[in-house]
Amino acid sequence: MSKTIVYDTLSIPDPSFIDDEVKMLGSWFGMSNICVFPTKMSALSNNKNSSGDDKTERNIIHLKLKTMLFDPKVRQLVNESSGVFQELQTNVDDPTKSTDALYYSRKYRAILSTCILAIDQSNPDKTNETYNQYKMLLHNLQLIWHLCEVLYLVTVPGDTILNNLLDWIKMHYENAENQASVITENKIAYLTDEHIEEKFTFYWDTVIGLVLQGNIDTTRMLLSNHSQSDTEPFIHAIKILKSMPTYSIYGGLPIAEYTSRFKGWQSSAKAKLECGVFLSDSNLNNVMKIICGDPDAINLIRSHCSTWFQFLVAQLIYTDPTVKKHSLSLYAHRSVSKYYEESEYNHMDTLALDLFDGDLEGFVKKLKSYPDSGWSSTHLTNLLHLCDKIEPEFEMSEAVENKNPNEQYLLDYGTFLMTHHSLWQAGVTYLDYCSAGKGYLSVLLSKLEITSDLRVSKILHYATARRLHNVVSSVCKVKGMLSLQKSRIGEALCWAIRGQDSAFATHLGDLYLKEYVKSGCFANPDILDNLGSIVVTCDRFMFIGKYIQFLKLALDKKLNEAALLYIELLRSNICPEYFRLTLLMDVLMFIDDSKECYFNITDISLITMRLDDAIMESNENNETSDQFLLSQVEKIRQGIVQLLSISLLKKKIV
């Protein structure tokens, strides 16, 4: 395990800083960028404009967070863990399903292993320092996650924890077993060679490494194949190893009886050691010192352990094989003190000590600052929360108001993923399981950059499913404006209808009506025939819908029905001012050779009043755009008179 992680320091050279009054300021740019720029402090306190004689070159720099989770080789960690997370939450919400915390913990660790393997495959010669660092970070994370799993998620009868700790060490420190495999695969070499330690210089390191991991069977096999295996020291050593009592938490001897047998076995081995049986071979003698729990072997054990984790477990095998979980704290602090002063503890040391101390609250707080952008703290804290290993709420820090770590970490991680162009959908998954997540999604979905129609469809799908109507309206407004900039009014109207944006629809309705005034026909009639619910929320399209209906009735010569709708349009006051004269011109449709009366006196009075209002408003606004229509006023008046005469004549006849 690497002792420290080196972070890069970014230097931003700028000629402006020659002046002592210039300071570096910054502001958020987008969702995850910071815009950094030099600013003269005196200018901030002076509201007047500068004289403009400052010719100093100034730079504006965009800073973007760099994280390993956004690297293509590590991105699978995000995508695959998102699926496991969602499955876990679904099982928790379903009372018919049980939540196996250990099962999901192992699934998360399997994803980590797959990711480490992918990094190895992409960096076979280990020359890419970035990937080397990523691998180290993920390996350490896997190590600490597995320790948490062993101590808190694995059920151990009687709390005797050593066997699980051995599994933990063997999985993450495989060097001894790998070297043993190399030796056993070359049996011919040491069957013919009298000095195996010369053939394999790492032979005794391998033997001691196996002993320190409690791998007694493989140790015996290596000793049995040694060139001196038929000598008395080796025969005694192999016999001692073979008779070593083993403890199983699932059946076997009770702890008291096992402890008695273990001490008796170790006393017998220690007697032979003290009699000098193994002195003829110093390496074998060292192995037996370790097995006998000799205090003089501590430095030897330490020299063969790369971390204090290994040192801790190696000591326990031969000093306290039935150690209980509550006793680990004392042993852990003693072990780490053999490696560092307290001031030298790194992040991994403090995380492990919190786990051994039973301080899960302290552990999840510290895990948040692990340099994986919150991946581990989010998923592990959520897992511990769902299996009731940590309290739902506890004090986080002064900077965080939320006292629920599970909730806060989900919010932070989900928000972080929302800043990525392709991982934002995974971010939605995490925010869905927060009480405040809907509010966050409402803001974050609206801020996503619209790069394609496919992305728009996805955003609208997520927003609609969560009833985030403001997001739907906002996105549709942006798409509508983009369509309008390209003069695609029909397409813009479709977006306005989809977003139920009455204000934008009103603007588009005005464009349709003004175009009708100029050309005498409506563009995109198919869209206007299927306006849907927008006619209820937008007066302009309510008018357009009724007006189109009126035109169709008139075209089909259903003038009685058209007249009723025409009077309704005049009476409702939903006709915009600029369209009134156009609407009044349509009164001429009702004058034909049949001399049929379609309006009564009251209707004709309303038409006359609306005409007077339209003329007055046009004069007050000094509009010139309606000059043609104003020239038609006389025709409208003549038409009204003719309609009035027909109405009076019909009334007289009746």
Side-chain angles (χ1 to χ4, degrees):
M1 180 186 69
S2 177
K3 196 59 180 77
T4 58
I5 298 173
V6 178
Y7 296 93
D8 293 332
T9 300
L10 181 64
S11 176
I12 305 178
D14 195 293
S16 304
F17 289 100
I18 299 174
D19 190 338
D20 291 338
E21 292 188 11
V22 174
K23 303 297 182 184
M24 183 67 80
L25 298 183
S27 63
W28 285 107
F29 176 71
M31 293 176 65
S32 61
N33 299 343
I34 297 177
C35 181
V36 179
F37 48 89
T39 301
K40 200 165 187 175
M41 302 309 292
S42 59
L44 294 178
S45 59
N46 186 3
N47 292 329
K48 296 181 180 180
N49 293 331
S50 62
S51 61
D53 57 352
D54 185 1
K55 303 298 183 181
T56 307
E57 179 185 352
R58 301 193 186 280
N59 299 321
I60 297 177
I61 301 169
H62 289 166
L63 302 180
K64 187 173 184 178
L65 175 66
K66 182 180 180 181
T67 169
M68 69 175 178
L69 293 187
F70 291 169
D71 188 281
K73 300 299 179 185
V74 189
R75 204 175 300 168
Q76 62 177 326
L77 183 68
V78 178
N79 292 324
E80 294 182 20
S81 58
S82 174
V84 176
F85 170 83
Q86 196 162 17
E87 180 186 339
L88 174 58
Q89 313 313 305
T90 303
N91 279 1
V92 170
D93 293 337
D94 189 347
T96 64
K97 297 181 179 179
S98 60
T99 302
D100 186 347
L102 183 59
Y103 167 76
Y104 286 104
S105 177
R106 287 172 175 167
K107 287 191 79 168
Y108 281 129
R109 286 200 296 110
I111 295 171
L112 278 171
S113 297
T114 303
C115 192
I116 292 172
L117 181 61
I119 291 174
D120 267 340
Q121 291 174 346
S122 62
N123 187 31
D125 52 2
K126 305 294 184 288
T127 56
N128 189 318
E129 287 303 320
T130 299
Y131 282 154
N132 289 340
Q133 187 179 46
Y134 288 171
K135 181 183 177 182
M136 180 268 293
L137 288 171
L138 293 176
H139 179 269
N140 287 348
L141 178 56
Q142 190 181 39
L143 178 74
I144 206 70
W145 185 303
H146 194 185
L147 177 60
C148 181
E149 177 186 298
V150 164
L151 294 179
Y152 296 95
L153 299 182
V154 178
T155 303
V156 182
D159 267 356
T160 50
I161 197 70
L162 181 61
N163 285 343
N164 291 327
L165 288 176
L166 283 172
D167 292 338
W168 170 58
I169 288 295
K170 289 175 183 178
M171 181 172 291
H172 299 283
Y173 298 93
E174 302 174 325
N175 190 49
E177 288 192 358
N178 292 337
Q179 289 177 338
S181 298
V182 172
I183 296 173
T184 54
E185 288 172 2
N186 290 272
K187 288 184 179 181
I188 296 177
Y190 57 73
L191 284 174
T192 58
D193 194 339
E194 296 182 357
H195 303 287
I196 189 172
E197 54 266 50
E198 294 180 4
K199 181 70 176 178
F200 299 100
T201 57
F202 51 83
Y203 174 82
W204 283 110
D205 287 336
T206 302
V207 170
I208 293 176
L210 292 171
V211 169
L212 296 181
Q213 291 185 359
N215 197 335
I216 302 302
D217 291 338
T218 307
T219 303
R220 282 172 41 221
M221 183 183 67
L222 290 183
L223 292 178
S224 298
N225 286 285
H226 192 275
S227 56
Q228 302 295 318
S229 60
D230 56 351
T231 61
E232 184 178 355
F234 277 82
I235 292 173
H236 282 292
I238 293 171
K239 186 177 180 180
I240 290 171
L241 290 172
K242 187 175 183 178
S243 62
M244 178 180 175
T246 56
Y247 176 72
S248 173
I249 56 177
Y250 302 104
L253 299 174
I255 290 179
E257 186 175 346
Y258 169 78
T259 302
S260 175
R261 288 192 182 185
F262 182 82
K263 288 182 177 179
W265 166 83
Q266 203 169 53
S267 296
S268 175
K270 192 176 296 184
K272 288 184 172 61
L273 178 68
E274 292 173 351
C275 290
V277 172
F278 310 106
L279 287 175
S280 61
D281 192 307
S282 60
N283 288 310
L284 183 62
N285 194 61
N286 286 336
V287 169
M288 299 312 297
K289 279 186 176 181
I290 294 172
I291 289 174
C292 294
D294 193 325
D296 294 338
I298 289 180
N299 289 332
L300 175 64
I301 295 173
R302 186 183 182 282
S303 66
H304 282 81
C305 295
S306 60
T307 67
W308 66 269
F309 304 127
Q310 291 176 285
F311 181 65
L312 165 66
V313 176
Q315 280 191 295
L316 291 174
I317 297 171
Y318 305 104
T319 57
D320 192 356
T322 58
V323 62
K324 300 295 183 69
K325 188 163 69 174
H326 62 79
S327 301
L328 287 176
S329 176
L330 177 62
Y331 288 122
H333 283 277
R334 285 178 179 174
S335 297
V336 73
S337 65
K338 299 288 184 182
Y339 277 74
Y340 325 117
E341 297 292 332
E342 187 171 353
S343 60
E344 297 177 319
Y345 291 177
N346 62 24
H347 197 192
M348 286 290 292
D349 297 329
T350 57
L351 286 172
L353 287 173
D354 281 340
L355 290 175
F356 285 124
D357 291 341
D359 184 9
L360 274 181
E361 293 182 4
F363 171 74
V364 298
K365 289 179 186 178
K366 292 184 179 71
L367 191 61
K368 178 64 175 173
S369 58
Y370 193 80
D372 63 349
S373 302
W375 182 88
S376 57
S377 60
T378 300
H379 294 93
L380 188 51
T381 302
N382 176 255
L383 190 61
L384 293 171
H385 169 76
L386 294 179
C387 62
D388 298 323
K389 295 298 181 181
I390 56 175
E391 294 295 327
E393 293 187 357
F394 57 81
E395 197 67 40
M396 294 284 289
S397 67
E398 295 181 0
V400 179
E401 295 181 3
N402 197 339
K403 293 185 178 181
N404 187 324
N406 178 54
E407 178 96 356
Q408 187 60 49
Y409 292 173
L410 290 176
L411 284 173
D412 291 345
Y413 184 65
T415 303
F416 164 73
L417 292 182
M418 291 288 290
T419 65
H420 191 264
H421 64 89
S422 65
L423 297 177
W424 63 270
Q425 295 172 80
V428 175
T429 301
Y430 295 90
L431 294 175
D432 275 341
Y433 292 96
C434 305
S435 58
K438 191 172 182 178
Y440 277 65
L441 280 173
S442 180
V443 175
L444 295 171
L445 285 173
S446 299
K447 287 182 174 291
L448 288 174
E449 185 179 359
I450 296 176
T451 55
S452 66
D453 289 340
L454 178 60
R455 170 173 278 204
V456 170
S457 297
K458 290 180 179 179
I459 295 173
L460 293 178
H461 168 74
Y462 283 111
T464 303
R466 289 152 184 79
R467 298 181 180 180
L468 300 174
H469 304 300
N470 61 319
V471 176
V472 175
S473 177
S474 174
V475 172
C476 290
K477 179 66 169 288
V478 172
K479 285 294 293 181
M481 291 301 294
L482 291 173
S483 299
L484 192 56
Q485 288 174 7
K486 299 175 183 177
S487 299
R488 299 174 182 172
I489 301 179
E491 187 178 285
L493 178 58
C494 289
W495 286 113
I497 293 172
R498 186 169 183 178
Q500 293 295 299
D501 190 336
S502 58
F504 186 45
T506 297
H507 174 66
L508 295 174
D510 288 334
L511 295 178
Y512 270 100
L513 290 174
K514 289 176 181 178
E515 180 62 29
Y516 179 83
V517 171
K518 292 179 181 178
S519 64
C521 62
F522 283 109
N524 309 111
D526 293 340
I527 297 176
L528 296 177
D529 286 340
N530 299 278
L531 291 173
S533 60
I534 194 69
V535 298
V536 179
T537 58
C538 177
D539 287 346
R540 195 68 78 245
F541 275 99
M542 182 184 293
F543 170 77
I544 291 175
K546 288 182 176 295
Y547 185 68
I548 290 175
Q549 184 182 355
F550 158 72
L551 292 177
K552 287 181 178 179
L553 290 172
L555 184 64
D556 294 340
K557 300 302 180 181
K558 298 178 181 179
L559 295 181
N560 284 317
E561 296 177 38
L564 292 173
L565 187 54
Y566 185 75
I567 294 301
E568 181 184 338
L569 288 173
L570 290 175
R571 186 179 290 120
S572 65
N573 273 328
I574 61 174
C575 176
E577 294 179 2
Y578 61 81
F579 199 77
R580 282 181 181 175
L581 282 175
T582 303
L583 180 62
L584 289 165
M585 278 288 293
D586 292 332
V587 76
L588 300 177
M589 295 181 182
F590 298 96
I591 301 174
D592 55 22
D593 296 336
S594 66
K595 303 299 181 180
E596 183 70 28
C597 180
Y598 300 105
F599 302 105
N600 57 34
I601 300 298
T602 303
D603 296 338
I604 295 173
S605 298
L606 176 64
I607 296 171
T608 304
M609 183 177 65
R610 289 288 183 260
L611 178 61
D612 292 339
D613 291 342
I615 295 171
M616 185 180 301
E617 289 168 357
S618 296
N619 291 334
E620 288 176 355
N621 295 331
N622 294 318
E623 293 182 356
T624 59
S625 59
D626 293 328
Q627 290 303 313
F628 172 75
L629 291 175
L630 289 173
S631 68
Q632 303 298 311
V633 168
E634 189 61 31
K635 289 183 180 180
I636 299 174
R637 288 193 185 281
Q638 290 175 3
I640 293 173
V641 170
Q642 192 171 352
L643 289 172
L644 180 60
S645 64
I646 294 171
S647 178
L648 291 173
L649 182 61
K650 290 289 183 181
K651 186 176 182 181
K652 185 176 181 179
I653 293 173
V654 174

